[in-house]
Amino acid sequence: MGRYRLSVGSAGFIGLLGLFIVAAGCVGSRGDVKESGFPKAPSVTFTDIDGGNTSLAGYLGKSVVLVNFWGLRCQNCIEEIPFLERLNNKYGSKGLVILGVNTDGVDGKTLKRFMPQLSAKFTYPVIVDPEFKVVDVFQMMAAPLSIIIARDGTVRFRHEGYTPEIEGEYVTLIEKLLAE
């Protein structure tokens, strides 16, 4: 009886591994995908810097939501905040809601002590996440992370990092989603 041996070189192994990773990533940990093909945003409740609670579900059907994860010691995060402020000023009255989720693992009282030291000011809600529950739900790996959620509750954009060159892409998508 002959023996068969599957031989995969290193390039083949890397290719198979890549295929597995892509296939696994398409399913997602929650497996929730709307008919449109876009993944549904997770169901989550946010606690703002003053201790008030709001849920993502409360915005669905009414607003386009940009969830931005940022940290006090993250230079790119701090550089992005003025751009988010401009978005909030221009599109807030048209249906855009920006939620700035702090990733430092501190409560609102502690965060309030440090925020005046920042060069950036916030006019949109700041969310605290001392137990990293929101970070985990959105599977944040690096900050800043921005996620844009359409009115129908689907995630339409996810971007880690910040450079001014990405701003046009945000504006184009936000205008498109606000027009839907």
Side-chain angles (χ1 to χ4, degrees), residues 1-80:
M1 210 180 234
R3 292 183 183 225
Y4 295 96
R5 185 177 131 180
L6 177 60
S7 176
V8 178
S10 61
F13 175 76
I14 291 171
L16 286 172
L17 179 62
L19 182 61
F20 174 77
I21 290 170
V22 168
C26 290
V27 174
S29 61
R30 287 166 186 74
D32 295 334
V33 177
K34 291 197 60 105
E35 288 179 26
S36 64
F38 294 107
K40 287 175 34 181
S43 176
V44 64
T45 298
F46 302 102
T47 302
D48 68 33
I49 197 167
D50 295 315
N53 290 323
T54 186
S55 71
L56 187 56
Y59 296 110
L60 301 183
K62 299 178 250 177
S63 304
V64 172
V65 180
L66 190 159
V67 182
N68 176 262
F69 292 86
W70 66 280
L72 290 165
R73 296 174 303 257
C74 170
Q75 187 60 39
N76 284 341
C77 299
I78 303 306
E79 289 173 8
E80 185 178 36

Side-chain angles (χ1 to χ4, degrees), residues 140-171:
M140 187 197 102
M141 300 302 281
L145 166 65
S146 291
I147 298 170
I148 299 176
I149 303 165
R151 286 185 174 107
D152 68 358
T154 58
V155 175
R156 300 294 184 92
F157 183 80
R158 181 182 177 102
H159 180 76
E160 292 178 348
Y162 170 74
T163 61
E165 293 79 21
I166 192 74
E167 293 178 5
E169 195 171 338
Y170 281 63
V171 169

Side-chain angles (χ1 to χ4, degrees), residues 121-134:
K121 303 299 176 215
F122 295 82
T123 59
Y124 53 86
V126 174
I127 306 301
V128 293
D129 191 21
E131 297 174 7
F132 303 105
K133 291 179 181 178
V134 179

Side-chain angles (χ1 to χ4, degrees), residues 56 59-68 81-100 123-125 146-151 156-157 167 170-179:
L56 187 56
Y59 296 110
L60 301 183
K62 299 178 250 177
S63 304
V64 172
V65 180
L66 190 159
V67 182
N68 176 262
I81 293 169
F83 167 63
L84 297 173
E85 284 294 323
R86 289 191 303 276
L87 288 176
N88 189 48
N89 291 334
K90 185 171 183 177
Y91 300 106
S93 63
K94 298 175 183 174
L96 176 68
V97 172
I98 298 176
L99 302 171
T123 59
Y124 53 86
S146 291
I147 298 170
I148 299 176
I149 303 165
R151 286 185 174 107
R156 300 294 184 92
F157 183 80
E167 293 178 5
Y170 281 63
V171 169
T172 300
L173 179 60
I174 288 167
E175 287 179 350
K176 177 183 175 225
L177 293 175
L178 288 172

